[in-house]
C-alpha cells in the first residue's frame, strides 16, 4: 500500500483559539499563509486542545463545587479538589487511583485525568476537556474545509496518551473523518507466504503519532498536514479503535 515518502507539514502562525472561532477557516488561512495550502487527499491532524477551545469544551475551576468523592481523593493525594471534580464529571469509571488517576471517559477512552488539562491554556483557572464527540468534530471540520476549499481533506483529531507496558507518551487519534481507522490484514499473507492471523494495524493512530513528531508540546504547532499518504476515503470513526469490553484483558 505504501512504499514512498510522506510529508509532515506544520501549520504555523495560528492565533490563540477561543470559543466560537471558525477553526476551519483559521486552519485554511494558516495553510495558505505558509504556502502549504490544502490538496485533495491531504490529511489534516489537529490537536484536541484547539478543537476543545473552539467548541467551548473548557471548565473554570473557580465555578466548580467539589463533591465528597473529589474532596476525599484530593485529601489523599494533595491535589486540587475542584480539578478532581471536573475529572470525575468527565469519567464513566475510575480504573486506578494511585499513583495516577486513570479513568474511562464517557467516550470510552482509558487515560490519565480524563483528558482534563491545564497545559497550553492561559491562566490557572481554566482547564480544557476532551471534545464531547470527537468523531463528530472531525466530520464537521472536514465538511467545512471542503466547502471553503473544494478539496477533499481527511481530518484526524489527536491527543497525547500513555500506553500499557511502555514508557512515554504518544499522539493517538480520538476523532477521525475520511481516513481509514484500522487496516485488517487477517487472511492475507506475509512476504514469505505465511498467513496473517491477528494483524490489524491502527492506521489512524500511526498517522496521529507521525504528526506528533512535528507538533511537539511547547512549539506552538497544533496542526499538521500529512501529504503523500495513499488511502481510500472511508466513513470510519476513531471510536472504532477502542477495544470492546469483552476483549479487554485488563477489565
Amino acid at each position: 500500500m505504501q512504499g514512498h515518502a510522506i510529508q509532515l507539514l506544520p501549520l504555523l502562525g495560528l492565533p490563540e483559539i477561543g470559543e466560537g472561532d471558525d477553526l476551519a477557516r483559521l486552519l485554511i488561512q494558516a495553510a495558505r499563509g505558509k504556502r502549504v495550502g490544502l490538496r485533495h487527499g491531504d490529511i489534516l491532524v489537529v490537536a484536541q486542545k484547539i478543537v476543545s477551545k473552539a467548541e467551548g469544551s473548557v471548565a473554570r475551576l473557580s465555578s466548580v463545587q467539589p463533591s465528597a468523592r473529589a474532596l476525599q481523593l484530593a485529601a489523599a493525594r494533595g491535589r486540587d479538589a475542584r480539578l478532581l471534580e471536573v475529572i470525575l464529571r468527565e469519567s464513566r469509571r475510575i480504573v486506578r487511583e494511585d499513583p495516577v488517576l486513570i479513568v474511562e471517559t464517557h467516550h470510552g477512552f482509558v487515560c490519565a485525568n480524563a483528558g482534563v488539562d491545564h497545559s497550553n491554556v492561559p491562566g490557572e483557572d481554566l482547564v480544557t476537556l476532551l471534545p464531547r464527540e470527537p468523531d463528530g468534530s472531525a466530520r464537521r471540520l472536514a465538511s467545512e474545509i471542503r466547502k471553503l476549499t473544494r478539496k477533499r481533506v481527511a481530518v484526524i483529531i489527536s491527543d497525547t496518551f500513555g500506553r500499557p507496558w511502555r514508557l512515554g507518551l504518544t499522539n493517538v487519534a480520538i476523532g477521525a473523518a475520511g481516513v481509514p481507522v484500522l487496516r485488517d490484514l487477517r487472511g492475507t499473507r506475509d512476504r514469505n507466504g505465511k498467513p496473517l492471523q491477528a494483524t490489524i494495524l491502527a492506521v489512524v493512530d500511526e498517522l496521529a503519532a507521525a504528526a506528533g513528531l512535528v507538533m511537539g508540546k511547547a512549539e506552538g504547532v497544533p496542526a499538521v498536514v500529512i501529504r503523500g499518504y495513499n488511502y481510500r476515503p472511508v466513513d470510519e470513526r476513531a471510536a472504532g479503535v477502542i477495544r470492546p469490553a469483552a476483549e479487554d484483558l485488563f477489565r
Side-chain angles (χ1 to χ4, degrees), residues 129-143:
L129 319 176
L130 296 182
R132 288 286 128 202
E133 215 278 283
D135 283 314
S137 300
R139 287 195 301 273
R140 286 190 294 274
L141 263 180
S143 176

Side-chain angles (χ1 to χ4, degrees), residues 33-67:
K34 296 303 175 183
R35 298 185 180 180
V36 173
L38 291 173
R39 303 177 186 175
H40 282 300
D42 281 348
I43 302 169
L44 180 60
V45 183
V46 184
Q48 158 269 319
K49 187 130 314 172
I50 64 171
V51 176
S52 293
K53 289 177 180 178
E55 294 180 349
S57 289
V58 299
R60 291 198 175 276
L61 298 182
S62 57
S63 66
V64 174
Q65 181 64 43
S67 63

Side-chain angles (χ1 to χ4, degrees), residues 3 6 19 40-41 68 70 74 92 94 118 124 134 164 175-176 180 191 234:
I6 65 172
E19 183 174 357
H40 282 300
R92 181 184 295 172
I94 295 176
H118 258 129
E124 296 298 321
R191 293 178 63 186
V234 291

Side-chain angles (χ1 to χ4, degrees), residues 88-168:
L88 291 175
R89 292 177 186 178
E90 295 296 303
S91 304
R92 181 184 295 172
R93 68 184 177 102
I94 295 176
V95 177
R96 188 181 181 95
E97 296 181 12
D98 187 61
V100 179
L101 190 61
I102 305 294
V103 304
E104 180 180 359
T105 72
H106 296 298
H107 318 81
F109 306 133
V110 176
C111 58
N113 298 324
V116 178
D117 198 0
H118 258 129
S119 65
N120 291 313
V121 181
E124 296 298 321
D125 190 43
L126 200 66
V127 293
T128 56
L129 319 176
L130 296 182
R132 288 286 128 202
E133 215 278 283
D135 283 314
S137 300
R139 287 195 301 273
R140 286 190 294 274
L141 263 180
S143 176
E144 285 301 310
I145 289 170
R146 188 159 190 171
K147 284 180 188 176
L148 293 168
T149 66
R150 299 185 180 179
K151 306 294 184 184
R152 177 184 49 76
V153 175
V155 172
I156 294 171
I157 296 174
S158 70
D159 198 10
T160 306
F161 276 30
R163 301 158 298 161
W165 303 307
R166 300 181 70 85
L167 295 173

